[in-house]
Amino acid sequence: MTNTSSKRLAIIGGGNIASFHVPALRAVGMDIVNCASSLNSKTIHQFAEDHNIKQVWSDPKKLAAAHHEWDGIVITAAVESTLDLLGIAASTGKPILVEKP
């Protein structure tokens, strides 16, 4: 059941570290409602299924364009794509968490 007062998050990246972030975010009351990974990712659908995320996007730019569906975004993608994804996420004006050491 979704808590109607919880913040809705999107996540870009479906790798190992994302699998740690999803339960942690949910434990503090966040609701992960959208996800995407690299353009036309072959693994993001399984990630979404494993973590019960309903909306999957094949393109992170389209996920960003749907910013009315979420309140903040978490970027857990590969280092090489982080800067581009951060630019895309910043264009939404929503809060961003970039997971990088």
Side-chain angles (χ1 to χ4, degrees):
M1 181 192 296
T2 302
N3 179 349
T4 57
S5 64
S6 68
K7 294 294 182 185
R8 303 167 301 153
L9 298 180
I11 189 166
I12 298 177
N16 289 336
I17 197 66
S19 292
F20 287 97
H21 283 289
V22 169
L25 291 164
R26 287 185 171 144
V28 296
M30 304 290 182
D31 187 16
I32 315 302
V33 296
N34 290 265
C35 66
S37 193
S38 57
L39 189 61
N40 298 314
S41 168
K42 295 182 183 351
T43 60
I44 195 64
H45 289 282
Q46 186 62 54
F47 174 82
E49 184 177 320
D50 291 348
H51 296 286
N52 196 30
I53 300 171
K54 302 296 184 211
Q55 181 66 46
V56 180
W57 299 85
S58 61
D59 183 343
K61 289 180 182 177
K62 291 181 181 179
L63 169 66
H67 58 86
H68 60 279
E69 295 187 21
W70 44 269
D71 303 309
I73 191 164
V74 178
I75 299 173
T76 66
V79 172
E80 303 79 32
S81 59
T82 299
L83 190 56
D84 289 337
L85 292 170
L86 180 57
I88 292 166
S91 72
T92 69
K94 300 282 182 95
I96 304 165
L97 170 67
V98 178
E99 190 288 320
K100 288 295 160 251

